[in-house]
Amino acid sequence: MRTGGGLDAVAALDVTAVSHSYGQKRALNEVTFSIEPASFTVLLGLNGAGKTTLFSLISHLYDTRHGSIRIFGHDIRRAPGEALRRLGIVFQARTLDLDLSVYQNLSYHASLHGIGSTEARRRIDAVLETVEMSSRLHDKARSLSGGQMRRVEIARALLHRPPLLLLDEATVGLDVQSRAAILADIRRLVETEGISAFWATHLIDEVDESDHVVVLAEGNLVANAGAADVIRATGTKTIGEAFAKLSRKAAAPEGFA
């Protein structure tokens, strides 16, 4: 499943001057950043910071009216088909059909991508092995734990072999052990399969100091650098302290010290 084919010549994701509003409320304000191919990048922000809005724009659930978004060079507004073919998505809300088996859920998704039944079965076997869920192939989704459901959703997102994977609060509602296992799985996929992962979270313990972080606060981009660099720039000792300081500053910019 390793990606390639010259995709590393351009950014995996390029977001330029993107703004979005809900009526009079500005959810994103001139957000600009890019992420590299074969990389793990954390989108860090409190609830309401604009993470889900940004993901909705990247995945073309919302139309990009201000600014541009490119996935491996393909503009999401001008060439949505080409852009979305390179994108796999794991949404925050559970999206499996609980009355279907794991195989049926994945087979249906494969058909939406035009993957024939023989090839679909081969890919389903491969992605389930990748996320260590092969033994649950014929089990109904409702019989799975929360962490197992999430693993199946990750497998489904990988079926069409996208070089970029978006994960919106992928560990929400899971216990500590399951959260750590899912995060480790994604980091391993980046390392072994060469995909790019864009991991949205508000949980500081999911950020490693070696990660690149994109920090949103009040709809504004307030940091875009390695976690260790963000710590140094804010004069703090941990990424948690840095994140808290940046979030406070965005919420009350005037008179902040």
Side-chain angles (χ1 to χ4, degrees):
M1 192 172 64
R2 178 172 283 277
T3 60
L7 290 175
D8 58 355
V10 294
L13 175 66
D14 188 30
V15 175
T16 305
V18 168
S19 297
H20 191 80
S21 297
Y22 300 103
Q24 298 299 312
K25 179 175 175 54
R26 180 65 67 93
L28 293 173
N29 183 35
E30 296 284 319
V31 172
T32 297
F33 67 92
S34 63
I35 66 175
E36 297 179 358
S39 66
F40 182 90
T41 302
V42 178
L43 176 63
L44 188 59
L46 298 174
N47 291 331
K51 302 190 304 298
T52 296
T53 297
L54 179 59
F55 269 34
S56 295
L57 292 167
I58 295 170
S59 59
H60 206 45
L61 291 176
Y62 298 161
D63 189 27
T64 308
R65 298 184 180 276
H66 304 283
S68 68
I69 296 172
R70 291 181 174 83
I71 298 171
F72 284 99
H74 298 279
D75 190 287
I76 193 67
R77 192 174 190 190
R78 297 176 182 175
E82 290 298 318
L84 293 176
R85 269 194 286 275
R86 291 161 172 80
L87 182 64
I89 308 169
V90 179
F91 293 104
Q92 180 175 339
R94 298 288 190 267
T95 55
L96 296 178
D97 187 322
L98 299 180
D99 292 319
L100 297 182
S101 68
V102 169
Y103 175 77
Q104 289 169 327
N105 269 282
L106 270 60
S107 179
Y108 176 70
H109 186 76
S111 69
L112 294 178
H113 283 276
I115 303 170
S117 58
T118 301
E119 176 65 10
R121 180 56 194 262
R122 190 177 72 81
R123 293 193 188 190
I124 288 169
D125 288 343
V127 294
L128 287 179
E129 183 177 354
T130 295
V131 299
E132 300 179 342
M133 288 293 293
S134 297
S135 65
R136 307 303 296 268
L137 178 67
H138 298 296
D139 294 348
K140 284 193 174 182
R142 68 169 63 256
S143 71
L144 305 178
S145 68
Q148 290 169 335
M149 286 187 188
R150 191 56 93 195
R151 287 176 183 269
V152 173
E153 288 174 332
I154 292 169
R156 182 180 60 186
L158 294 170
L159 267 178
H160 61 290
R161 297 175 175 167
L164 174 61
L165 190 62
L166 300 187
L167 303 104
D168 186 10
E169 300 278 3
T171 60
V172 66
L174 301 182
D175 59 61
V176 173
Q177 184 175 359
S178 296
R179 288 202 294 115
I182 295 294
L183 182 57
D185 284 345
I186 300 302
R187 292 185 186 278
R188 177 172 50 81
L189 283 170
V190 171
E191 180 67 25
T192 63
E193 305 295 340
I195 67 170
S196 298
F198 196 29
W199 176 278
T201 187
H202 66 281
L203 300 171
I204 291 299
D205 65 351
E206 294 184 351
V207 183
D208 188 271
E209 287 195 13
S210 65
D211 290 337
H212 189 95
V213 293
V214 173
V215 184
L216 288 179
E218 301 288 320
N220 295 292
L221 182 72
V222 294
N224 174 27
D229 293 328
V230 174
I231 293 168
R232 284 192 292 271
T234 53
T236 55
K237 296 181 179 179
T238 67
I239 189 62
E241 292 176 2
F243 178 46
K245 186 172 184 178
L246 290 167
S247 298
R248 288 197 307 271
K249 186 174 182 179
E254 303 220 354
F256 179 84

